[in-house]
Amino acid sequence: MLHGERIVCLSSLAWHGRPTSRHHLAREFARTNDVLFVDAPTRATRVRLSQLDPSTFLRLEPPPHLPVVNAVVSRMTLPASRRLYERAVVKVVKSLGWRQPISWNSSPLDFSWRIGRLLRASVDVLHLTDAFWEYPGFGPDQRRHLRAAAQSADVVVCTTDSIRDGVVELATPKRAPKVVGHGVDVNRFSPAIDRPPPEGPITAVFVGRLDRRLDIDLVESLARAGVRVVLVGPSTLPAADGARLRAAGCELPGEVPYDALSAWMAGADVGIVPYQLVPSVVASRPLKLLEYLAAGLPVVTTPLPAAAELSPHAVVADRDGFIDAVRAVGAAERARGDADRSQVRNGRVSRVRSESWERRAQELSAVIEEARSNG
């Protein structure tokens, strides 16, 4: 594990909200290193440096970005916003007395793609957890920025083989990218293991952001087929889609505290990942796959390559078989005796126990140390 380093984490998301891989890994690194977590700029941010826990963990809220009304305005405002962001990061790092820190960049598209060079980083790490090039709105500027970040980085780290292959094709990094997968905090979710089976209809839970990845038709059909569907998380869905889901009987409690997710999982028979098979989703490895298993839940998912690694605990079903799979898995879970249910649930937890965030931080540390030794 890295020790005694100074690490600047350039995040694609803000610190508040449901944690992502950057949040978890940054916490692990902050146990033995000084870490500066830099939020992605928004229209509402104001420049502020604050201390997180532990005392070696700092958070920088950068200057707000200028308005982005359309593509034409964006071409004028984004360069100015990027310069404001860069100056704020460099100024804070300098004020802390950090010289040549490790630059750990997971937000290379618009604001942070030059930061490694500006900080004269001892190691410049590009960390890709998404296939950005498959996202709507990924245009020539984002392609150019991502290519520049990948080619200048000392090492590119990806969470899946698909993302690794995509960035190699897109950017030709100076060295072969490394793969370090997502982790899970088993202790956070394991209290759900001892839950009794829920009463009433088979209950399927989804935890995460409700966005364009969701197969709305499939979720609506699942609810209309008599399955209780609970979708826990913030929504960026069009209002019409949210109305459709509620009309079908889906429960949408919205965002809940991260510490409360275990309780929501405890009230379900099965965790679901009803995603559309668009390229960005196929390339990903959703955190919820590991979190469901850490809570002892069986999983039913549309055909994501990452889910195949978790068989037999994750059942992969296409759209035609998804509803029947949820019903069958949920019914099998309820039919188990107490001893069998406990054994099966613990088996799911055991499957993901070795995939802790501490282990992922150790793996990422080894990659960084190797990059440093290679010059």
Side-chain angles (χ1 to χ4, degrees), residues 60-371:
L60 172 62
E61 296 168 74
H65 68 66
L66 300 175
V68 179
V69 179
N70 53 45
V72 175
V73 174
S74 172
R75 282 188 169 273
M76 295 186 291
T77 60
L78 275 178
S81 295
R82 182 175 64 248
R83 287 191 293 271
L84 290 172
Y85 174 92
E86 291 171 344
R87 288 169 187 165
V89 174
V90 171
K91 181 179 179 180
V92 166
V93 170
K94 185 176 180 179
S95 72
L96 293 171
W98 294 8
R99 297 184 59 189
Q100 294 187 293
I102 294 170
S103 173
W104 170 27
N105 184 7
S106 67
S107 180
L109 298 189
D110 293 314
F111 300 103
S112 65
W113 57 278
R114 301 192 303 187
I115 291 287
R117 296 200 301 272
L118 295 174
L119 294 178
R120 307 179 79 174
S122 59
V123 184
D124 188 3
V125 183
L126 177 60
H127 190 191
L128 298 176
T129 60
D130 294 283
F132 291 118
W133 46 93
E134 301 289 2
Y135 276 43
F138 184 83
D141 288 341
Q142 287 75 28
R143 184 177 299 273
R144 178 169 56 86
H145 297 162
L146 179 56
R147 181 179 290 115
Q151 291 176 345
S152 65
D154 295 303
V155 63
V156 178
V157 182
C158 307
T159 50
T160 68
D161 292 343
S162 294
I163 296 174
R164 176 200 60 199
D165 295 343
V167 76
V168 167
E169 181 178 347
L170 176 76
T172 319
K174 64 174 71 171
R175 296 189 182 91
K178 304 291 186 179
V179 175
V180 176
H182 286 315
V184 66
D185 183 352
V186 167
N187 293 333
R188 184 180 296 275
F189 295 99
S190 58
I193 296 173
D194 297 327
R195 66 192 182 277
E199 298 180 355
I202 299 296
T203 300
V205 66
F206 171 91
V207 297
R209 186 174 297 277
L210 280 58
D211 56 24
R212 62 181 182 80
R213 295 172 294 178
L214 276 181
D215 187 330
I216 300 299
D217 292 338
L218 180 57
V219 176
E220 179 185 17
S221 296
L222 181 64
R224 293 194 183 281
V227 175
R228 179 183 173 222
V229 178
V230 184
L231 307 170
V232 183
S235 176
T236 58
L237 293 172
D241 285 343
R244 278 180 59 193
L245 294 174
R246 290 187 178 90
C250 297
E251 300 173 33
L252 283 71
E255 180 68 285
V256 301
Y258 189 54
D259 289 340
L261 286 181
S262 177
W264 284 93
M265 293 183 192
D269 298 289
V270 56
I272 57 172
V273 188
Y275 279 164
Q276 301 184 67
L277 297 181
V278 296
S280 59
V281 170
V282 172
S284 70
R285 191 190 195 204
L287 284 175
K288 59 184 61 61
L289 286 171
L290 301 179
E291 292 172 346
Y292 290 151
L293 296 183
L297 277 176
V299 178
V300 176
T301 174
T302 47
L304 305 180
E309 306 169 12
L310 301 173
S311 178
H313 307 299
V315 174
V316 174
D318 59 22
R319 295 183 86 253
D320 292 337
F322 193 89
I323 295 172
D324 287 343
V326 171
R327 284 171 164 165
V329 169
E333 194 72 5
R334 291 197 180 186
R336 301 184 193 279
D338 291 343
D340 182 40
R341 184 181 305 113
S342 177
Q343 181 179 5
V344 171
R345 287 176 177 173
N346 279 292
R348 295 173 187 137
V349 176
S350 296
R351 169 61 184 82
V352 297
R353 188 175 296 280
S354 63
E355 302 195 39
S356 67
W357 288 115
E358 180 181 8
R359 177 180 174 182
R360 296 302 183 229
Q362 290 171 346
E363 293 171 351
L364 185 52
S365 294
V367 169
I368 292 172
E369 292 285 18
E370 180 185 358

Side-chain angles (χ1 to χ4, degrees), residues 12-45:
S12 58
L13 295 170
W15 175 254
H16 63 78
R18 190 172 181 224
T20 65
S21 59
R22 274 82 71 201
H23 298 73
H24 292 294
L25 290 168
R27 280 201 180 280
E28 291 296 329
F29 283 139
R31 299 179 192 277
T32 55
N33 304 275
D34 294 322
V35 175
L36 175 65
F37 187 98
V38 183
D39 286 14
T42 69
R43 287 296 312 282
T45 53

